[in-house]
């Protein structure tokens, strides 16, 4: 059973890299089977255990560093580097650097830790135990090789997010430094020189991992921002008398800072609108384009998005938004796109105006930037009718009381950069003169002829109203300029007592009953019974009037004095009576 335990123990020691060596009977020591490698500034642990005969009770334990190596053992005539006997002198340079892992020597554990190593600590080390009466030095030695410091600090960086308070931890290498190292932080931002980080560092922390093992660390607390992204943080650990080591890490901060829009926002109609939007973020976020306040995406991509609209028109003018989102945070940038364009001007207003009323025309041209608008009336010598401020792309013409001279072609011009666009309208002034003088009816024998005239623009029309219909009537119309004449004739016009001329125009209608003038010959009129009766009546009336006048004047002659005397003489004269009767007779005749 004892041999089995020894075999298992030996196997365990071999697996652990330890080797037990026995000399002089039961004096055995177990050390590392090989060279223990350590680094300058750190510490080295030498595992060790020993055995002694039963009649040997260990009281103190000592470690020596070999000055010279003989064939079997070191020359340990110098002072030990460690002793459990406090009265022993310790070799210079090792004071306080060596610690025993198990302070109870009776447990036969001899493992030690040597701190603050330097390359001069390389060499062979040997252990010795003493009892009350004698001592024993184990011949087996442990070799240690100290090289330059290669281990790096452990720099722990948690996930970083913009706006959140973050703690970075730097842990010094090694677990058994004899003296506390100095830990510092250095930050190197984008485009900035490296500089030490100051007031937001917590005090260094020392954690004991046993009687002699210690761990040192430092914590850097800061609020992460986009400025820290892609920057380099460096943790430097400086050991006393043994150089320094450092660890670096590039920080990755999750952030969304802004979006930037590039591209030409002023384009000409028909050209291609090209805008580019990039988000300053980490990691890259979704970027999308929308127009105005609509949510429909015109273009989207991760990190950056390009908006391309070929052959733009006026309708493509307006605000465009680039939006990026990261979690609950959203950033947006807006630009206003302007499309340069011009459209053919249009003239608004009534172009058919009644004479005496107002002519009001407005010419408008839609364009960006605004065009210069003028309007003129086409004449032999062109003249500008009206001109108003051009900042509204409009010009107006107002003629309060139009005449026929205001009729004609009105031209509107829009001057836009190096281009001129024109449009025109024809203005017509309408007027109506009614029925002209000279309109009449004449009857010659049995035929009746009527004529009626009018003037106006546009030309009016003439029609006739008769009390009876005549199948043998004839109507003829003559036009000269803005004057129209209509003649109406009928062969048998005796039954036509009156004729009405009706003139119709878009500005109104007028009608007039025309008088009938007779132009018959004297013989024709004499042969007619009505004319004969009238003629005889006029002769009789003329005779009566003549007789009355004759009588009147005759009486006035008899009334004179001389005439009265004469008449008295004649009354006595018979011849006078004869004469009177004759007069009477003559009068009767």
């Amino acid at each position: 059973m004892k041999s089995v335990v020894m075999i298992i123990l030996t196997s365990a020691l071999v697996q652990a890299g330890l080797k037990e060596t026995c000399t002089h009977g039961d004096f055995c020591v177990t050390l590392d089977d090989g060279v223990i490698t350590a680094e300058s500034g750190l510490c080295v642990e030498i595992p060790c255990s020993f055995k002694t005969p039963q009649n040997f009770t260990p009281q103190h334990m000592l470690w020596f560093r070999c000055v010279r190596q003989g064939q079997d053992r070191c020359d340990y005539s110098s002072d030990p580097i460690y002793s459990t006997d406090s009265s022993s002198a310790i070799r210079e340079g090792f004071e306080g650097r060596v610690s025993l892992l198990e302070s109870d020597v009776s447990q036969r554990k001899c493992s030690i830790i040597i701190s603050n190593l330097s390359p001069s600590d390389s060499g062979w080390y040997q252990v010795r135990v003493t009892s009350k009466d004698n001592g024993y030095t184990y011949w087996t030695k442990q070799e240690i090789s100290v090289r330059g410091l290669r281990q790096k600090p452990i720099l722990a960086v948690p996930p970083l997010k913009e706006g959140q308070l973050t703690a970075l931890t730097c842990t010094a290498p090694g677990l058994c430094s004899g003296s506390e190292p100095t830990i510092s932080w250095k930050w190197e931002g984008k485009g900035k020189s490296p500089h030490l980080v100051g007031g937001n560092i917590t005090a260094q922390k020392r954690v004991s991992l046993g009687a002699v093992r210690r761990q040192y660390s430092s914590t850097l607390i800061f609020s992460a921002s986009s400025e820290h992204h892609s920057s380099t943080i460096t943790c430097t650990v400086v050991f006393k008398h043994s150089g320094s080591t450092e660890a670096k890490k590039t920080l990755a901060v999750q952030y969304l800072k802004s979006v930037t829009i590039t591209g030409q926002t002023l384009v000409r109609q028909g050209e291609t609108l090209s805008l580019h939007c990039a988000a300053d973020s980490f990691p890259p976020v979704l970027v999308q384009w929308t127009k105005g306040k609509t949510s429909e995406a015109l273009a989207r991509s991760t990190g950056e998005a390009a908006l391309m609209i070929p052959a733009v028109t006026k309708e493509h003018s307006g605000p465009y938004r680039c939006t990026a989102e990261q979690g609950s945070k959203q950033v947006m940038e807006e630009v206003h796109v302007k499309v340069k364009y011009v459209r053919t001007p249009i003239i608004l207003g009534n172009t058919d105006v009644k004479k005496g009323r107002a002519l009001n025309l407005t010419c408008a041209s839609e364009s960006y930037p605004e065009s210069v608008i003028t309007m003129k009336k086409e004449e032999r010598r062109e003249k500008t009718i009206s001109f108003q401020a051009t900042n509204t792309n409009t010009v107006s013409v107002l003629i309060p009381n139009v005449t026929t001279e205001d009729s004609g072609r009105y031209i509107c011009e829009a001057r836009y950069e190096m281009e001129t666009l024109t449009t025109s309208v024809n203005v017509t002034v309408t007027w109506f003169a009614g029925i002209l003088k000279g309109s009449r009816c004449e009857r010659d024998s049995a035929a009746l002829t009527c004529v009626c005239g009018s003037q106006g623009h546009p030309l009016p029309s003439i029609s006739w109203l008769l009390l009876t219909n005549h199948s043998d009537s004839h109507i003829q119309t003559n036009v000269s300029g803005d004057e129209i004449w209509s003649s109406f004739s009928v062969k048998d016009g005796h039954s036509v007592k009156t004729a009405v001329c009706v003139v119709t125009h878009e500005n109104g209608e007028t009608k007039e009953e025309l008088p009938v003038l007779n132009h018959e010959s004297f013989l024709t009129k004499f042969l007619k019974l009505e004319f004969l009766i009238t003629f005889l009546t006029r002769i009789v009336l003329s005779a009566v009037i003549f007789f009355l006048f004759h009588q009147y004047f005759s009486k006035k002659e008899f009334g004179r004095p001389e005439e009265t005397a004469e008449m008295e003489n004649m009354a006595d004269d018979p011849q006078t009576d004869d004469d009177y009767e004759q007069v009477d007779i003559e009068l009767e005749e």
Side-chain angles (χ1 to χ4, degrees):
M1 185 68 179
K2 183 177 180 180
S3 60
V4 173
V5 173
M6 288 300 295
I7 293 174
I8 295 175
L9 180 59
T10 302
S11 176
L13 292 175
V14 171
Q15 290 179 0
L18 301 178
K19 180 181 180 181
E20 184 182 55
T21 304
C22 296
T23 57
H24 297 90
D26 292 332
F27 285 95
C28 302
V29 65
T30 301
L31 296 171
D32 188 280
D33 186 17
V35 180
I36 298 178
T37 302
E39 295 184 11
S40 179
L42 303 182
C43 61
V44 63
E45 180 180 342
I46 302 177
C48 175
S49 61
F50 62 92
K51 296 178 182 178
T52 61
Q54 292 183 357
N55 59 353
F56 188 92
T57 302
Q59 187 174 5
H60 292 286
M61 181 184 63
L62 300 88
W63 275 91
F64 294 89
R65 179 177 182 273
C66 300
V67 178
R68 296 183 299 274
Q69 181 179 357
Q71 293 182 355
D72 296 325
R73 61 180 181 174
C74 294
D75 182 1
Y76 52 90
S77 59
S78 61
D79 294 332
I81 63 172
Y82 176 79
S83 174
T84 58
D85 185 359
S86 58
S87 62
S88 299
I90 303 300
R91 185 172 178 173
E92 184 180 359
F94 286 89
E95 298 92 340
R97 293 176 53 202
V98 184
S99 301
L100 184 66
L101 292 180
E102 295 287 346
S103 59
D104 188 359
V105 179
S106 63
Q107 299 296 321
R108 291 175 169 76
K109 302 292 186 181
C110 52
S111 299
I112 59 171
I113 291 179
I114 304 175
S115 301
N116 295 338
L117 292 175
S118 64
S120 60
D121 291 326
S122 297
W124 295 85
Y125 291 83
Q126 194 173 36
V127 62
R128 173 180 173 80
V129 293
T130 63
S131 64
K132 185 177 181 180
D133 298 326
N134 54 22
Y136 182 81
T137 301
Y138 292 93
W139 292 2
T140 304
K141 300 172 291 295
Q142 179 67 61
E143 184 179 3
I144 295 177
S145 176
V146 180
R147 61 186 181 184
L149 183 60
R150 298 181 182 180
Q151 292 188 46
K152 302 292 184 182
I154 299 174
L155 183 54
V157 179
L160 304 179
K161 190 173 183 180
E162 185 180 28
Q164 291 185 352
L165 202 62
T166 303
L168 308 184
T169 302
C170 178
T171 303
L175 299 176
C176 52
S177 299
S179 59
E180 182 174 351
T182 301
I183 302 176
S184 61
W185 295 87
K186 184 172 62 177
W187 180 64
E188 184 176 356
K190 293 180 290 186
K192 297 181 180 180
S193 300
H195 62 276
L196 294 175
V197 182
N200 51 355
I201 302 175
T202 63
Q204 288 188 188
K205 182 179 181 181
R206 186 180 77 170
V207 178
S208 296
L209 302 176
V212 295
R213 293 186 177 92
R214 301 178 185 88
Q215 186 181 68
Y216 297 93
S217 64
S218 175
T219 302
L220 173 63
I221 299 176
F222 67 102
S223 180
S225 69
S226 58
E227 293 183 359
H228 296 109
H229 180 70
S230 297
S231 63
T232 301
I233 194 73
T234 302
C235 168
T236 303
V237 180
V238 179
F239 294 100
K240 186 178 181 180
H241 310 304
S242 302
S244 64
T245 182
E246 64 181 22
K248 293 184 178 182
K249 279 196 175 181
T250 300
L251 302 182
V253 181
Q254 179 182 327
Y255 73 94
L256 173 58
K257 188 175 182 181
S258 62
V259 292
T260 303
I261 297 176
T262 56
Q264 183 59 257
T265 57
L266 180 62
V267 293
R268 187 178 296 275
Q269 182 170 282
E271 295 179 346
T272 299
L273 172 64
S274 178
L275 296 176
H276 182 268
C277 180
D280 183 3
S281 68
F282 180 82
V285 295
L286 182 65
V287 179
Q288 69 175 12
W289 281 100
T290 57
K291 185 178 181 183
K293 296 181 179 179
T294 62
S295 57
E296 181 182 357
L298 301 177
R300 63 173 62 185
S301 185
T302 300
E304 56 187 30
L307 176 64
M308 303 285 290
I309 302 179
V312 294
T313 63
K314 174 226 175 183
E315 287 69 26
H316 291 107
S317 297
Y320 287 80
R321 289 183 176 181
C322 174
T323 306
E325 293 185 2
Q326 186 182 75
S328 59
K329 185 175 182 180
Q330 181 185 82
V331 294
M332 181 270 295
E333 187 70 25
E334 182 176 284
V335 292
H336 195 89
V337 172
K338 296 179 180 179
V339 178
K340 298 176 67 175
Y341 74 98
V342 62
R343 292 182 178 173
T344 302
I346 58 174
I347 299 177
L348 305 174
N350 189 6
T351 56
D352 292 329
V353 187
K354 292 182 180 181
K355 182 180 178 180
R357 296 191 178 181
L359 171 65
N360 192 353
L361 298 178
T362 298
C363 180
S365 175
E366 189 179 357
S367 67
Y368 180 84
E370 294 172 343
S371 53
V372 178
I373 307 296
T374 58
M375 185 178 284
K376 56 192 174 184
K377 181 175 180 289
E378 187 177 55
E379 295 181 355
R380 290 183 180 179
R381 292 183 178 180
E382 295 182 352
K383 64 179 182 179
T384 300
I385 297 296
S386 180
F387 180 82
Q388 290 184 349
T390 59
N391 57 351
T392 56
N393 281 357
T394 61
V395 64
S396 296
V397 171
L398 177 61
I399 303 177
N401 188 7
V402 295
T403 65
T404 56
E405 294 181 354
D406 296 315
S407 297
R409 183 167 176 252
Y410 287 76
I411 302 171
C412 177
E413 291 184 349
R415 293 191 297 274
Y416 177 80
E417 294 184 348
M418 303 299 293
E419 185 177 4
T420 300
L421 302 177
T422 62
T423 189
S424 64
V425 292
N426 289 316
V427 173
T428 302
V429 178
T430 62
W431 57 279
F432 178 42
I435 297 177
L436 299 178
K437 291 182 179 181
S439 301
R440 67 193 182 280
C441 288
E442 295 181 351
R443 186 181 284 113
D444 186 6
S445 297
L448 177 67
T449 301
C450 298
V451 292
C452 183
S454 183
Q455 283 181 308
H457 186 82
L459 202 65
S461 62
I462 300 177
S463 60
W464 296 90
L465 292 178
L466 302 175
L467 297 179
T468 58
N469 295 325
H470 297 270
S471 61
D472 58 346
S473 63
H474 177 70
I475 298 176
Q476 183 177 352
T477 302
N478 294 315
V479 176
S480 177
D482 55 6
E483 188 172 303
I484 182 172
W485 287 91
S486 176
S487 64
F488 169 78
S489 62
V490 58
K491 293 181 179 180
D492 183 11
H494 293 293
S495 61
V496 180
K497 302 300 181 182
T498 182
V500 178
C501 175
V502 180
V503 180
T504 304
H505 189 266
E506 65 180 42
N507 287 354
E509 181 181 275
T510 184
K511 59 180 67 175
E512 184 178 336
E513 184 178 339
L514 302 179
V516 179
L517 303 177
N518 293 318
H519 292 282
E520 296 178 324
S521 65
F522 177 78
L523 180 60
T524 301
K525 294 178 180 179
F526 186 81
L527 293 176
K528 293 181 180 180
L529 180 60
E530 292 179 0
F531 177 76
L532 182 60
I533 296 172
T534 303
F535 179 75
L536 292 176
T537 302
R538 289 179 178 178
I539 291 177
V540 172
L541 289 175
S542 297
V544 173
I545 293 171
F546 177 78
F547 172 75
L548 292 176
F549 271 97
H550 184 270
Q551 285 292 95
Y552 175 78
F553 287 108
S554 295
K555 289 180 179 180
K556 288 181 71 91
E557 292 178 358
F558 293 156
R560 297 175 182 174
E562 59 272 12
E563 288 177 350
T564 304
E566 185 178 351
M567 288 181 66
E568 290 178 352
N569 293 328
M570 289 179 64
D572 296 336
D573 191 355
Q575 291 182 352
T576 303
D577 293 335
D578 294 339
D579 293 338
Y580 182 79
E581 292 176 359
Q582 184 65 33
V583 172
D584 291 339
I585 293 171
E586 289 176 359
L587 288 171
E588 289 175 1
E589 292 177 354

